[in-house]
Amino acid sequence: MSVIEEIKGGVRLHLFIQPKSSKNQIVGPHNGMLKIKIAAPPVDGEANSELIEYLSKFFKVPKRNIALVKGDTGRQKTVDIEGITLNDAHKLVTAAF
C-alpha cells in the first residue's frame, strides 16, 4: 500500500491524523501512511471537518471532491480526492515536508 494511490478520477490518501495540534500541517511519512497534524480536537467530527477543509485548500479542490472513505472515528483514515492527478498530488505532498 502506498501513501498516495491513483483511483478513477483522482487519488486515495492513507492518513494518520494527530488532532489538537498547534496548526494544520502535513508532517510526512509515518508507518506507511501520511501523517497530518490537525488543530481541531477529535470531538463531534470537528477534526474530520477540519481535515477535509485543510485538504481542500492544500490540493486546491472543492470540499465536495473529498470523501472520507474509512476511519471516521479513528486516527487512521482513508480519503479519496477527485480532480487531482497522482503526479500532482505527489509533488504537492513532497514539497510540504
Side-chain angles (χ1 to χ4, degrees):
M1 171 177 71
S2 174
V3 172
I4 305 172
E5 53 187 350
E6 193 167 20
I7 59 170
K8 187 175 183 192
V11 295
R12 174 168 287 165
L13 304 178
H14 299 281
L15 306 174
F16 181 83
I17 305 304
Q18 180 181 327
K20 291 176 27 179
S21 177
S22 58
K23 64 180 181 177
N24 297 336
Q25 70 180 47
I26 291 178
V27 179
H30 175 81
N31 292 339
M33 291 174 271
L34 183 63
K35 184 173 180 178
I36 298 181
K37 291 183 175 183
I38 294 295
V43 180
D44 297 330
E46 285 182 41
N48 288 342
S49 297
E50 193 157 327
L51 172 65
I52 289 171
E53 177 101 16
Y54 174 69
L55 292 174
S56 170
K57 289 177 182 169
F58 184 82
F59 289 108
K60 297 176 179 60
V61 297
K63 284 190 281 187
R64 68 175 180 273
N65 286 22
I66 300 174
L68 182 58
V69 178
K70 192 169 95 179
D72 201 32
T73 58
R75 285 177 169 229
Q76 297 181 14
K77 302 184 184 299
T78 303
V79 177
D80 286 356
I81 304 175
E82 291 181 15
I84 186 164
T85 66
L86 182 63
N87 193 29
D88 287 347
H90 269 294
K91 283 180 187 171
L92 285 168
V93 168
T94 304
F97 56 87

